Amino acid sequence: MVLVLALTILGTVSCVPGKTYRTQLKTADYCVARDMRDCPRDALHLVAGAPQGVSSPLLGFVEFDDQGYLRESVLKDQLVRHLGSLAATRPLLIVVFTHGWKHNADPADGNVAAFSQLLLDLAAADAEGCANTPCQSREVVGVYLGWRGLSNRLEPFKTLSFWDRKGRAHRVGGDGVTEVLAELAKINAQDRESRLVIMSHSFGGAVVYNAVNQMLIRDTAFLNRDRVARNVADLIVLVNPAFEAARFNAIQRKASGFTFVPKQKPILAIFTSEADTATKRAFPAGRALSTLFSEHRDARQRSQNIRAIGHYAPFQTHTLTENKGAAATAGLGEFACAWQAYSRGDTDQWAVGPVALNRIAPPDSGSRRFNPYMVVRVEKGIISGHNDIWGEAFSDFVYRFVAVQDYRPCPSASPMEAALTETSPTEPAPTETKEVADERTARQP
């Protein structure tokens, strides 16, 4: 009895209460963050440290409570309006990040610092890729979606929060996050040179996927020139996501019925380390317990409902492997030209310095070869565990993967291929539904 009481007291005392960290927003004379201790209350600030000649990226914050409600809806509205006003004057590369379990929007949280550094890397890569092109005035803006991923600081309560935080992640990924992502997508539609990239980690992957999966499924019904639309975002990247493969079943089933054409751009890329024991072992153990009395029609369905998406082998489409001995000194243009050859199907490997992206599917597998819903198994030398997502090799790969998607045509591209990379401002893009095309058209000067 005494032990139970002591544990109860310890669990209560070490609890991390819900809190709003960012409580003010300046739309002029931004606070400048040189390290993670700067600008602790600002919902929008500049990230210092960009290379000479590269614009400093902006970093904004939107926070949610355990019910998925916006903590500061007025601040969110002000932030969205401000980004909309910026987009009216220049194209934006908006990069959204949703953290995972055991993290939050605290200025001292390591994810805040790591995401800030990724924005700096992306700003440098984008400036290089956009030089002397219509997107050369593009600015990088990060949006950090914060929620109560850290609910307790003391073990074993911190780890035992798994089931509660998983449920909260799916709840947070409901109305509030969907609203924010939809509003950012609308801003993205203001300028044909703007881009929207959504990234997340761990239970943050569950947050994002819960917010977008129905829209992704809907987009499969709007094939245009045998391509699937990219209406939710230009790219969605989930790293070591903690949600079950069963949640991906509908998209996988739809995708398996398509024969994707070359140059189909990625829509969703899921990267999971083979060394991620949290999703490889702890996740299925927790799911096995929580689904003990659930109905499953067969062993395959049960396996999908227990295993995390990245560790369910039948859904894997690619591998990310070490490319030992290769240097990372090539310019972005060289990596982009290699990507264009890869996306045409000239090769089934995209070498990016010390890492390489490989298709698992053989060349004659049709629908899987150019599948835009990528489930990638990552070697442990690139991501060594669940939380090691900010290492140099993987971070370099991510910002190059983002930057090359809309790189200008390489000299080796045929005139037809070059034409396909350009879209008339008054005609629907090959990857847009009519609604998004109309939005772009309505905003043309």
Side-chain angles (χ1 to χ4, degrees):
M1 183 66 179
V2 173
L3 179 60
V4 172
L5 180 60
L7 288 173
T8 301
I9 294 173
L10 282 173
T12 302
V13 171
S14 60
C15 180
V16 179
K19 176 182 178 181
T20 304
Y21 293 94
R22 311 288 172 163
T23 57
Q24 64 183 24
L25 188 142
K26 301 173 186 175
T27 56
D29 191 24
Y30 304 118
C31 179
V32 179
R34 292 174 174 80
D35 64 42
M36 60 197 308
R37 295 183 295 271
D38 296 334
C39 313
R41 296 175 55 230
D42 288 81
L44 182 67
H45 67 244
L46 279 171
V47 180
Q52 186 174 4
V54 176
S55 298
S56 296
L58 281 167
L59 175 54
F61 294 82
V62 180
E63 298 179 62
F64 303 87
D65 65 19
D66 268 6
Q67 305 308 315
Y69 289 25
L70 289 156
R71 286 195 175 276
E72 296 286 346
S73 59
V74 173
L75 279 184
K76 186 275 297 179
D77 291 341
Q78 291 174 347
L79 175 63
V80 169
R81 281 197 299 270
H82 184 60
L83 296 186
S85 66
L86 290 179
T89 63
R90 74 210 75 172
L92 302 179
L93 169 55
I94 303 174
V95 185
V96 181
F97 176 72
T98 309
H99 64 80
W101 188 26
K102 304 179 182 179
H103 292 277
N104 53 33
D106 190 326
D109 193 292
N111 275 190
V112 176
F115 182 52
S116 298
Q117 182 59 53
L118 181 64
L119 293 176
L120 291 170
D121 292 338
L122 281 171
D126 202 54
E128 179 186 347
C130 285
N132 302 315
T133 73
C135 68
Q136 64 182 356
S137 62
R138 190 157 64 196
E139 286 194 18
V140 174
V141 178
V143 179
Y144 188 100
L145 302 186
W147 60 289
R148 192 167 164 249
L150 177 66
S151 61
N152 205 294
R153 299 186 187 279
L154 184 67
E155 295 291 6
F157 308 103
K158 189 175 182 179
T159 297
L160 289 174
S161 68
F162 171 91
W163 291 277
D164 178 58
R165 292 303 89 193
K166 182 182 186 300
R168 289 304 91 196
H170 288 285
R171 184 66 190 89
V172 170
D175 297 349
V177 172
T178 302
E179 173 188 341
V180 172
L181 295 182
E183 290 174 344
L184 294 177
K186 187 174 182 180
I187 292 172
N188 184 45
Q190 289 182 215
D191 191 310
R192 61 181 299 199
E193 298 299 334
S194 288
R195 299 291 182 267
L196 173 61
V197 177
I198 302 170
M199 301 180 62
S200 64
H201 170 240
S202 185
F203 281 153
V207 171
V208 167
Y209 190 72
N210 201 56
V212 305
N213 79 91
Q214 293 186 52
M215 291 184 284
L216 293 177
I217 294 171
R218 178 184 182 274
D219 285 347
T220 63
F222 287 87
L223 284 179
N224 190 340
R225 304 179 196 174
D226 293 324
R227 288 179 172 85
V228 181
R230 296 191 303 169
N231 294 318
V232 177
D234 292 284
L235 184 64
I236 303 169
V237 177
L238 313 182
V239 186
N240 288 341
F243 65 87
E244 51 273 27
R247 299 293 309 279
F248 190 70
N249 179 69
I251 288 180
Q252 195 278 337
R253 179 173 51 81
K254 293 283 287 185
S256 66
F258 294 148
T259 299
F260 296 106
V261 296
K263 299 187 76 66
Q264 163 73 64
K265 292 181 178 179
I267 295 172
L268 172 66
I270 298 172
F271 296 91
T272 301
S273 171
E274 60 187 13
D276 179 7
T277 56
T279 58
K280 189 174 185 177
R281 295 191 176 92
F283 184 91
R287 287 294 297 162
L289 182 61
S290 61
T291 62
L292 191 60
F293 300 105
S294 298
E295 176 191 0
H296 297 105
R297 293 188 314 206
D298 51 39
R300 182 176 62 178
Q301 188 182 68
R302 184 177 186 277
S303 181
Q304 290 180 11
N305 201 23
I306 290 175
R307 293 183 182 275
I309 172 62
H311 296 290
Y312 186 68
F315 287 173
Q316 291 173 353
T317 60
H318 296 73
T319 61
L320 189 65
T321 58
E322 292 184 273
N323 192 20
K324 294 181 179 179
T329 55
L332 182 64
E334 185 174 333
F335 291 131
C337 291
W339 170 261
Q340 290 175 23
Y342 175 83
S343 65
R344 289 194 302 267
D346 297 349
T347 176
D348 284 312
Q349 182 184 81
W350 180 45
V352 196
V355 302
L357 180 69
N358 314 277
R359 292 187 179 99
I360 291 177
D364 61 351
S365 62
S367 65
R368 291 188 65 187
R369 193 171 186 217
F370 301 106
N371 190 343
Y373 308 105
M374 303 166 60
V375 181
V376 187
R377 184 178 73 251
V378 182
E379 284 190 346
K380 61 183 178 181
I382 301 171
I383 300 179
S384 63
H386 183 67
N387 293 310
D388 182 34
I389 67 170
W390 306 105
E392 183 178 355
F394 187 67
S395 292
D396 285 351
F397 169 80
V398 167
Y399 75 74
R400 286 169 180 148
F401 183 55
V402 170
V404 302
Q405 296 304 320
D406 295 284
Y407 196 81
R408 60 186 179 272
C410 292
S412 60
S414 69
M416 180 175 293
E417 288 171 342
L420 285 174
T421 65
E422 298 295 330
T423 303
S424 167
T426 58
E427 293 181 358
T431 55
E432 292 177 334
T433 61
K434 183 177 184 298
E435 291 90 338
V436 175
D438 288 347
E439 177 66 30
R440 289 189 188 271
T441 303
R443 293 183 179 274
Q444 295 300 317

